Amino acid sequence: MAERPSGAGRLVGTPFRRVDAEKKVTGETRFADDLAFPRMVHACLARSTVPHARIRILDCSRASAMPGVLAVLTGRDLPNPYGIMPVSQDEHVLAPERVRYVGDPVAAVAALTEEQAQQAALSIEVEYEPLTTIATVEEALATPEPRIHDYGVEGNVHRAASFCFGDVEAGFGEADLILEDLLFYDGSTHLPLEQHAAVALPDGDGRVVVYASTQTPHYLHTALATVLELPPSRIRVIACPTGGGFGGKTEPFQHEILVAKLALELGRPVKCALDREEVFYCHRGRHPVHMRLRTGFRKDGSMTAQHLESALDGGAYGSYGAASLLYTGALQTVTYKLPRYRFDGIRAFTNKPPCGPKRGHGTPQPRFAYEVHLDKAAEKLGIDPADLRLRNLVESGSLTANWLQLGSVGLRRAIEAVVGGSGWRERYGKLPHGRGLGLACGSYLTGAGLPINWNHMPHSGVILQLDRGGGVAVLCGQSEIGQGSDSVLAAIVAEVLGLELADVRIHGADTGFTPVDLGSYSSRVTLMAGNAALEAAERAREQLARAAAEELELSPQHLVFAGGRVFDSADPEHGMCFADAVVAAETRYGTLATTGSYTPPRAPGRYRGSGVGPSPTYSYSAAVIEVEVDPATGLYEVAHVWIAHDVGTAINPVLVLGQIEGSVYMGLGEAVMEEQAFRRLPARRSGALVHRHPSMLEYKSPTFHDMPPVTSYIIESPDPQGPFGAKEVGQGPLLPIMPAVANAIFDAVGVRIDQVPIHPQMVAKALAAVAQGKPARYGPTTFPEFDAGPTLHIPTPEEGGDGRSLDDPRSGSRMRSDATMSTREEALARKKLASSAAV
């Protein structure tokens, strides 16, 4: 029995046990060549059965003695913390002293078979000292002790933020209507068909190779070096083609680091494949968010000011939470003109699996609130919901109140497409009772403007290698996760060099050979890796053109690359094949390889927190949804979806349509049925906070039967920041789906559902409330009051600001404001204003 540090409990059994390779393992027959070619072994994690507790005794002795077991690891073996964000390095591969949610790993076992590893993991006994379980944001605010983590704002508040762009209260004073809403967006998980898995191989001389189902091999590489205390040069991460990610595989996970540790210790390949229940425990999905939204409108529908407050349930660890919080407020200004804007928010720790980025990271929740809010405003102002949005659209190239630089904006054409296709003008508000139409819009990043680990290096790099046979190899660190990024990069290179797609080979996501790409997240690959590929291809074309021009006795400017040939633009017959041009160039210049890289333009915002929100450009979407509701039961079906997406330029229209329709599917799941729900076990058993349905059988998501007909429109508004004008399509089309469903239900039966998912019983309860003379609404009635701390006041561009807050001594802004006023103090001042004014 080995004593742990004081206060950390006891560890029973050997922390790390390795069977002598020369001996037989009980119950196993060793092959004669097993020493020369070690068999792959399997790893399995032992997980916490309680939501919040100190580990008093961790007994691994039975597991160590079981047949086939080669090693047992505990938190003592991997003491270094890690995390995806530099400000939230709060995770361990195995919990060293305390568990923070049901499913938190406490130990790991490696065995010759997966079944042996599972049985050994189940045999590990843990004695816990229970701590208070915190299940909600409200409980986190009311329970400052015990703290789930020792860092953060205070108590169990992880992060807080408060920004005021312009004189918001003056804006409310100009309004004819002030509308305030409380809304709630429940959490959901990614549900990729492929589960999480990783394999690690020892590579000699203390090196290791990790094959992982990851969206971010570069960041996994960084975490492995940190935890294993190895030079990064001795670690190689290969991201395998991934069977779905949706944001759920953008972080380093315990099993990925665990297999590397075991492979190095055992000298064997090690595999760890999580089962579906464990994937639910990994989570990193949509944050549950409480929102209070207040907006001022003039009679003509234009907005004068807005104040958004959001409270995020972050789960047990930091994850991307610092960015997630800011994303719930940052993109409110990029769709509609909002001259003055305020955002206050917090992210709280709770004893549930950690939340993180899911498709649309941080923006579906406030987008739901905003679009439902606008629908209510349109009703009160007597303006058609489509016209209200059209009157408020931002303009291409404009600068928002919170200092986000916009690119091309094709939202007007997107709205016009779905309004025309759905017959909105003829049918909205005129369909039989029980049938209705709803409209909503959205906008999203085309790649985050800053890296997670801030530096001035490129966000994406590409190497092109040209061979004498006329083939081109593209080496890039981006991950193919099913979105078709490989084919997009191949198409960009093929277009520049005049080749067929079959002539271009993509070698991606291998940190040992490919240049760094930050990963497949925030819809960044087409623009960022695409621009890097474009630059590398153009440099290759310049080299080839010089050599071919000498061979053909022409000026390089007169050459055309097309159809696998290089020829005279004035005389297409005078030319050579592409392979001959490569040979000519290699003869003159040596082995041919070019590089390309991409770094986003610097954003104009200079205030603390301005790093979240900027993007080279933004995509735009609009959707109309038709629903049929049974007023007697509240049951409803989505009958049809019309959706238009501004993609800039569609490099591959088939892939664009696939991404649009995939977003529709995922959006309908969140609107109608998906939720990451938890329940407490009876106190007589344990009182633990457990996942209500951690399986694909019980976690409801749409099937083929649930998918309605979808009419998609590709809107092209080429943006100069994108390769050939392209923008994102992987996440933006999801955003309007959820609010469009809620707005359609209102048009169908006249009740507002101010939260998602929208269950039939919510519709039924709202209809019952109407019958009783109560408000025609179902949704939250209270909001978790919080103090977001000192407010940063940032003058807007229209007010002569310079992108800095008034707290910054470098600011040249002439506005004056009390930047130390807390949100509570400002809330008291706000109450002095009328909640609404006559229209």
Side-chain angles (χ1 to χ4, degrees):
M1 182 182 299
E3 291 294 332
R4 304 194 70 185
S6 177
R10 292 183 297 157
L11 180 66
V12 180
T14 307
F16 184 93
R17 173 180 179 270
R18 179 169 54 187
V19 172
D20 191 326
E22 298 293 341
K23 297 179 180 179
K24 290 185 178 179
V25 180
T26 306
E28 290 292 324
T29 302
R30 184 174 300 284
F31 294 98
D33 61 349
D34 196 29
L35 297 180
F37 302 99
R39 298 168 58 193
M40 182 172 74
V41 300
H42 297 265
C44 186
L45 291 158
R47 297 179 179 272
S48 169
T49 57
V50 298
H52 197 196
R54 293 187 181 92
I55 300 173
R56 293 189 60 212
I57 299 176
L58 180 60
D59 187 349
C60 303
S61 56
R62 289 179 58 195
S64 298
M66 292 182 71
V69 172
L70 302 184
V72 178
L73 294 179
T74 68
R76 175 181 292 178
D77 300 298
L78 293 156
N80 292 346
Y82 70 95
I84 187 64
M85 301 285 287
V87 296
S88 300
Q89 301 283 302
D90 59 0
E91 297 190 58
H92 288 83
V93 176
L94 302 168
E97 299 179 1
R98 186 161 60 156
V99 295
R100 293 174 170 88
Y101 68 96
V102 171
D104 214 352
V106 296
V109 176
L112 292 176
T113 69
E114 190 172 14
E115 292 77 11
Q116 289 173 331
Q118 291 171 345
Q119 289 302 313
L122 290 172
S123 75
I124 292 173
E125 298 179 357
V126 189
E127 183 178 318
Y128 295 105
E129 178 187 332
L131 298 171
T132 302
T133 298
I134 297 170
T136 64
V137 171
E138 292 87 348
E139 289 183 10
L141 292 169
T143 314
E145 296 290 340
R147 299 185 73 180
I148 295 176
H149 290 282
D150 293 332
Y151 78 99
V153 177
E154 61 179 358
N156 284 301
V157 176
H158 173 211
R159 303 286 290 189
S162 181
F163 305 99
C164 188
F165 302 95
D167 192 340
V168 173
E169 293 306 325
F172 282 123
E174 298 172 6
D176 298 309
L177 169 70
I178 297 176
L179 188 64
E180 184 168 317
D181 272 319
L182 299 179
L183 304 103
F184 176 66
Y185 198 113
D186 210 345
S188 58
T189 199
H190 312 84
L191 210 69
L193 289 179
E194 180 198 46
Q195 294 149 217
H196 295 256
V199 175
L201 286 71
D203 198 27
D205 298 322
R207 297 181 299 181
V208 66
V209 180
V210 177
Y211 294 83
S213 174
T214 178
Q215 296 176 237
T216 52
H218 171 65
Y219 291 127
L220 174 56
H221 184 261
T222 301
L224 285 164
T226 299
V227 178
L228 300 179
E229 297 182 335
L230 284 177
S233 59
R234 297 184 186 178
I235 301 168
R236 180 183 173 195
V237 175
I238 300 172
C240 306
T242 301
F246 313 114
K249 298 173 183 175
T250 59
E251 299 187 44
F253 285 97
Q254 291 103 333
H255 65 283
E256 295 166 334
I257 303 172
L258 173 68
V259 293
K261 172 70 172 179
L262 287 168
L264 288 168
E265 295 289 348
L266 296 175
R268 293 169 172 262
V270 180
K271 176 182 180 180
C272 184
L274 305 188
D275 62 29
R276 181 59 62 177
E277 184 173 347
E278 291 179 294
V279 174
F280 277 93
Y281 295 146
C282 286
H283 192 41
R284 318 297 160 133
R286 190 83 71 213
H287 284 76
V289 179
H290 298 267
M291 292 162 286
R292 179 159 60 194
L293 183 60
R294 185 168 180 258
T295 307
F297 297 87
R298 294 189 179 93
K299 294 178 181 179
D300 63 0
S302 60
M303 288 179 274
T304 63
Q306 185 176 99
H307 184 189
L308 171 64
E309 298 168 90
S310 65
L312 285 67
D313 181 341
Y317 290 97
S319 181
Y320 281 88
S324 305
L325 169 61
L326 297 179
Y327 272 129
T328 61
L331 300 192
Q332 288 291 93
T333 60
V334 301
T335 312
Y336 309 111
K337 293 177 182 176
L338 201 53
R340 305 172 185 92
Y341 173 57
R342 175 166 184 153
F343 170 70
D344 296 297
I346 61 162
R347 182 181 189 264
F349 285 126
T350 58
N351 295 121
K352 295 184 287 193
C355 298
K358 185 186 175 187
R359 200 173 198 169
H361 188 193
T363 62
Q365 302 96 320
R367 177 56 53 182
F368 170 77
Y370 202 172
E371 296 293 324
V372 170
H373 191 68
L374 286 178
D375 226 53
K376 295 180 180 180
E379 180 195 8
K380 289 184 177 295
L381 293 167
I383 301 173
D384 184 285
D387 291 332
L388 180 68
R389 290 166 170 85
L390 289 168
R391 294 179 190 181
N392 283 286
L393 295 182
V394 293
E395 298 174 358
S396 297
S398 58
L399 191 60
T400 69
N402 59 338
W403 295 89
L404 298 180
Q405 180 63 60
L406 305 185
S408 68
V409 179
L411 184 53
R412 180 174 299 276
R413 290 167 52 208
I415 293 174
E416 290 170 349
V418 296
V419 164
S422 64
W424 174 274
R425 301 291 185 189
E426 299 78 29
R427 303 172 66 219
Y428 175 71
K430 303 170 186 175
L431 294 173
H433 185 67
R435 204 165 184 97
L437 296 173
L439 170 68
C441 300
S443 179
Y444 197 63
L445 309 161
T446 303
L450 288 175
I452 291 172
N453 298 306
W454 283 22
N455 58 66
H456 298 292
M457 292 183 286
H459 291 211
S460 187
V462 165
I463 297 173
L464 249 60
Q465 297 177 351
L466 287 73
D467 66 57
R468 300 171 187 179
V472 177
V474 181
L475 283 69
C476 181
Q478 61 83 26
S479 300
E480 172 61 68
I481 60 171
Q483 82 279 43
S485 59
D486 280 1
S487 66
V488 168
L489 296 184
I492 290 171
V493 171
E495 179 69 19
V496 173
L497 298 179
L499 300 174
E500 298 292 328
L501 284 176
D503 298 320
V504 181
R505 298 181 303 278
I506 303 293
H507 300 267
D510 183 338
T511 63
F513 293 94
T514 60
V516 168
D517 178 88
L518 298 184
S520 292
Y521 66 95
S522 79
S523 285
R524 55 179 302 284
V525 174
T526 292
L527 188 140
M528 297 193 181
N531 271 325
L534 180 64
E535 183 177 74
E538 288 175 341
R539 288 173 174 173
R541 186 175 63 183
E542 289 174 6
Q543 285 189 350
L544 295 174
R546 289 199 305 270
E550 290 182 20
E551 292 284 331
L552 299 172
E553 299 180 345
L554 294 168
S555 168
Q557 288 76 24
H558 293 164
L559 293 179
V560 175
F561 286 71
R565 298 180 66 246
V566 183
F567 54 85
D568 184 356
S569 59
D571 181 11
E573 296 301 319
H574 183 47
M576 61 174 61
C577 70
F578 182 83
D580 288 344
V582 172
V583 170
E586 187 172 343
T587 301
R588 288 166 172 78
Y589 313 126
T591 301
L592 296 179
T594 61
T595 64
S597 59
Y598 178 77
T599 302
R602 186 178 181 184
R606 298 290 185 271
Y607 56 91
R608 184 180 181 185
S610 63
V612 172
S615 177
T617 187
Y618 300 84
S619 71
Y620 293 88
S621 304
V624 169
I625 290 180
E626 183 170 351
V627 299
E628 186 172 0
V629 184
D630 180 358
T633 63
L635 291 168
Y636 65 96
E637 289 187 358
V638 176
H640 201 109
V641 176
W642 294 266
I643 183 165
H645 182 74
D646 165 24
V647 71
T649 299
I651 292 177
N652 186 325
V654 174
L655 288 179
V656 170
L657 290 172
Q659 289 295 303
I660 291 173
E661 293 174 10
S663 290
V664 170
Y665 166 83
M666 186 168 280
L668 289 176
E670 294 193 25
V672 176
M673 61 186 73
E674 293 191 38
E675 57 184 339
Q676 180 92 338
F678 295 83
R679 62 188 175 90
R680 290 187 189 272
L681 293 177
R684 68 178 184 278
R685 295 187 60 187
S686 73
L689 183 69
V690 298
H691 200 294
R692 186 176 294 171
H693 35 47
S695 76
M696 290 188 74
L697 177 65
E698 296 166 297
Y699 179 92
K700 301 304 180 185
S701 64
T703 65
F704 288 112
H705 174 74
D706 299 306
M707 272 298 289
V710 178
T711 302
S712 301
Y713 305 90
I714 297 176
I715 306 299
E716 294 193 303
S717 64
D719 192 289
Q721 291 290 337
F724 301 109
K727 301 197 291 189
E728 79 87 34
V729 67
Q731 304 186 64
L734 174 142
L735 299 175
I737 300 302
M738 295 73 70
V741 170
N743 292 338
I745 289 173
F746 174 75
D747 186 44
V749 291
V751 297
R752 294 286 181 187
I753 311 299
D754 288 339
Q755 68 182 67
V756 293
I758 302 172
H759 292 303
Q761 66 267 25
M762 298 176 182
V763 179
K765 288 180 180 179
L767 289 168
V770 173
Q772 299 168 8
K774 298 177 182 178
R777 175 186 181 272
Y778 183 96
T781 56
T782 61
F783 182 78
E785 300 294 340
F786 58 81
D787 187 345
T791 300
L792 289 181
H793 288 77
I794 303 99
T796 68
E798 291 184 359
E799 293 170 336
D802 58 5
R804 294 185 173 93
S805 74
L806 293 173
D807 308 73
D808 190 333
R810 297 170 296 172
S811 176
S813 303
R814 295 182 296 274
M815 284 185 59
R816 297 183 62 189
S817 180
D818 180 9
T820 63
M821 184 181 290
S822 73
T823 52
R824 283 178 181 166
E825 291 170 329
E826 295 199 3
L828 292 174
R830 188 184 71 185
K831 289 181 180 179
K832 296 179 181 179
L833 297 174
S835 61
S836 63
V839 179

